[in-house]
Amino acid sequence: MRDRRLTAFRSAIAARCDAAPVRYDWRVGLAFAGACFWTSYPGRLNADSLYSVITASVPAQLGNWHSPTLGWLWNLAGPALGQPSAALLLQSLLFGVFAGFLPQVPAHARGRAAIAAEIALRIALIGAFGAIGKDVVALGLILVAIRILPCAVRRPLNPIEVAILAVSALLFLLIKAPNFLTIVLATALVLPSFTRSARVYGTTLLGVLLVGLAAVPLNRWVDRTVFAAQDHHPDKQLVIFDLAAISLQTNRNAFAEVRGWPTASVPVIADCFLPNMWDSFAPWGPCKAYSAAYDRLDGALTRQWLRQIALHPVAYAQHRLTYAGALLLSRDHASWGLSGSAVNDARDPTARAERAEMMHRLQANRPIQLWQDSALTEPLKAIEQVLFKFPKSQAFALIGCLALLLSCWMRRGRRIRLDVLLPAALGVANFGMLFVFGVADPGRYMLPTIVLCYVGSIALLTPALPPDALDGRAIEPRGDR
């Protein structure tokens, strides 16, 4: 009975969904992974990813400031390949899985345009994937998921697909706990296309929220129990940033209300606060006394943070809106990716000094491989600049995802383009997560939204077929013929 009901429910949903037909070819996936690895070898590191690959192999230095899970994954092939090529291999294989999904389009002008756009995006991503970072990995996990999820609507997933989806979701949450909000917000945006019942909407969303919230204690448990990582209080970034902003908005020092806070020995908030990032309060910032004082008052300050948000919602909202504007208009996107800076750039003296300082501080005894330009660097830089880095690209991508969502909602009474709806919803949800939890404005935080805007737009350009006309398989042990 239960199977019949599930089948009937799936059939009812599938009857309303369209998607561009795809097939999976593992040979293409492997070729794309090889292209990513070869083009970007040995990979480009920023300071955060350098810290992660070093501490993941030095248990005495391992902490939870950055995800121990991601550091462990990046280091799986470390003993054999060294770093950062081991991390690059992981990212290349992840995007190889995504690249194995091949759109099937008719041989007419619209179909050829869709294929040309898909090829251009993949070429640009080959260069972008060479940047070792959690945002790049998160993007790869999302891309894999949005290729598999439409299959669940039209048929039961096979065990390989279920395993890949489950692992992708778990890793997505473990590499950054706030990602749970991305999933919750995406669900909130997708549900209206499938139900008009407020009760069904509210119940489903509440269930997803409760399950998602479990990612926070799960993250702490994995960091502490599985990896024995030291607690560096990474939550301090958000708490200090928000409390400082609310204090300035209300002209009342929220820190001083917490018993034990060393008000007299820390700088004045107004001399430290930046509206677009928390870094001035960080252990490396000019007002690092805030970070040092936080650690022994973690629980009390977190409770004060929640209390102040509840007491001063307008001040909090103004602060988060100001931050979001800085994120959308940030020109920092010029500093990341293939055309940005890398701490392991062999030809950059500043990078060399920064790398040496960090490795000395962390007592790293393994060399870090250096990156140099190749013959492909300049062409890939040019493509990356055009697609990902033209002025205000973050705002453009968000507007694009919102427009795609609007087009899906306007059509929901007829057919639902699931391959358009999913990337658009996740692109907006990524920004929503940053709106609530973001503490700095580097453009790479918006990389998932930028790429998902293109993915959704290409899907909209690609002719769709009803689900019963699609190939029933997605990921198979061998390529479809």
Side-chain angles (χ1 to χ4, degrees):
M1 178 66 71
R2 182 182 175 187
D3 290 343
R4 286 201 298 271
R5 288 178 180 175
L6 184 60
T7 301
F9 175 75
R10 185 184 291 115
S11 298
I13 295 297
R16 299 182 56 201
C17 292
D18 285 340
V22 297
R23 65 185 180 92
Y24 192 83
D25 194 320
W26 61 266
R27 294 162 297 190
V28 173
L30 282 178
F32 188 82
C36 288
F37 187 79
W38 176 73
T39 300
S40 296
Y41 183 85
R44 298 170 55 80
L45 290 166
N46 62 27
D48 289 349
S49 52
L50 174 62
Y51 178 92
S52 292
V53 299
I54 290 175
T55 56
S57 60
V58 184
Q61 298 287 349
L62 183 62
N64 64 347
W65 189 261
H66 300 292
S67 168
T69 300
L70 184 56
W72 172 75
L73 287 169
W74 276 337
N75 270 287
L76 282 176
L81 296 179
Q83 288 291 7
S85 55
L88 177 63
L89 178 64
L90 171 79
Q91 293 188 177
S92 298
L93 291 174
L94 175 62
F95 287 106
V97 174
F98 153 73
F101 289 92
L102 304 177
Q104 296 177 285
V105 298
H108 54 52
R110 182 179 171 187
R112 293 189 186 95
I115 288 297
E118 179 81 24
I119 292 172
L121 178 62
R122 292 189 181 201
I123 292 174
L125 290 177
I126 286 177
F129 293 166
I132 311 302
K134 64 179 179 290
D135 305 292
V136 176
V137 174
L139 170 62
L141 295 169
I142 291 173
L143 291 176
V144 171
I146 63 175
R147 286 294 189 256
I148 296 178
L149 280 171
C151 304
V153 172
R154 62 182 185 267
R155 60 168 177 77
L157 297 178
N158 63 47
I160 297 177
E161 293 165 337
V162 171
I164 292 177
L165 268 181
V167 170
S168 296
L170 182 61
L171 292 178
F172 186 66
L173 295 173
L174 287 179
I175 65 174
K176 192 164 67 173
N179 278 340
F180 83 85
L181 188 59
T182 304
I183 297 175
V184 174
L185 293 176
T187 304
L189 293 170
V190 168
L191 277 177
S193 295
F194 294 95
T195 181
R196 297 182 180 180
S197 167
R199 180 182 176 185
V200 172
Y201 182 89
T203 303
T204 305
L205 194 59
L206 179 61
V208 174
L209 175 61
L210 293 176
V211 173
L213 283 172
V216 178
L218 174 65
N219 233 281
R220 292 181 179 271
W221 182 86
V222 170
D223 293 347
R224 182 179 62 253
T225 306
V226 177
F227 295 104
Q230 303 171 45
D231 186 6
H232 291 169
H233 305 277
D235 50 327
K236 76 172 71 173
Q237 305 170 74
L238 180 63
V239 173
I240 293 176
F241 188 44
D242 288 351
L243 282 180
I246 292 172
S247 297
L248 291 177
Q249 292 272 6
T250 60
N251 294 314
R252 187 171 181 176
N253 190 334
F255 296 97
E257 297 177 7
V258 176
R259 179 176 296 180
W261 180 259
T263 306
S265 61
V266 298
V268 177
I269 296 173
D271 294 340
C272 303
F273 181 75
L274 297 172
N276 63 321
M277 65 178 63
W278 93 291
D279 288 43
S280 54
F281 297 102
W284 55 86
C287 298
K288 59 186 177 183
Y290 279 80
S291 181
Y294 182 96
D295 293 352
R296 61 186 179 83
L297 297 171
D298 189 341
L301 283 165
T302 300
R303 290 189 293 272
Q304 173 72 334
W305 171 64
L306 294 171
R307 180 173 175 272
Q308 290 297 315
I309 291 174
L311 289 175
H312 306 289
V314 175
Y316 171 74
Q318 289 176 339
H319 155 59
R320 298 312 305 187
L321 284 168
T322 300
Y323 163 77
L327 177 66
L328 289 176
L329 301 179
S330 169
R331 299 298 181 90
D332 183 76
H333 58 270
S335 70
W336 56 266
L338 188 63
S339 55
S341 57
V343 76
N344 64 325
D345 190 330
R347 302 177 184 178
D348 187 339
T350 303
R352 184 163 57 247
E354 183 179 359
R355 182 176 66 254
E357 185 278 329
M358 179 178 290
M359 295 180 70
H360 174 74
R361 174 163 46 88
L362 297 176
Q363 301 173 9
N365 56 9
R366 292 187 179 180
I368 294 295
Q369 298 155 344
L370 302 181
W371 180 88
Q372 296 189 49
D373 289 345
S374 70
L376 291 174
T377 299
E378 290 305 318
L380 287 173
K381 274 185 183 180
I383 296 173
E384 181 185 73
Q385 288 281 4
V386 170
L387 289 183
F388 298 154
K389 295 192 172 187
F390 48 83
K392 301 182 181 179
S393 60
Q394 291 86 244
F396 171 86
L398 178 62
I399 293 169
C401 286
L402 288 169
L404 291 171
L405 276 178
L406 180 61
S407 72
C408 290
W409 287 340
M410 291 176 64
R411 290 170 47 91
R412 70 183 186 278
R414 294 168 288 168
R415 310 289 294 185
I416 300 168
R417 281 299 301 268
L418 200 56
D419 52 351
V420 178
L421 179 61
L422 286 176
L426 282 162
V428 174
N430 176 66
F431 171 75
M433 180 272 294
L434 293 169
F435 180 90
V436 177
F437 292 123
V439 295
D441 63 348
R444 68 177 186 275
Y445 287 2
M446 287 289 284
L447 178 62
T449 299
I450 295 170
V451 174
L452 289 168
C453 176
Y454 285 115
V455 171
S457 301
I458 293 170
L460 187 63
L461 181 64
T462 306
L465 293 174
D468 55 5
L470 299 179
D471 182 0
R473 292 174 293 171
I475 292 184
E476 298 288 350
R478 56 189 177 81
D480 293 62
R481 297 181 184 277

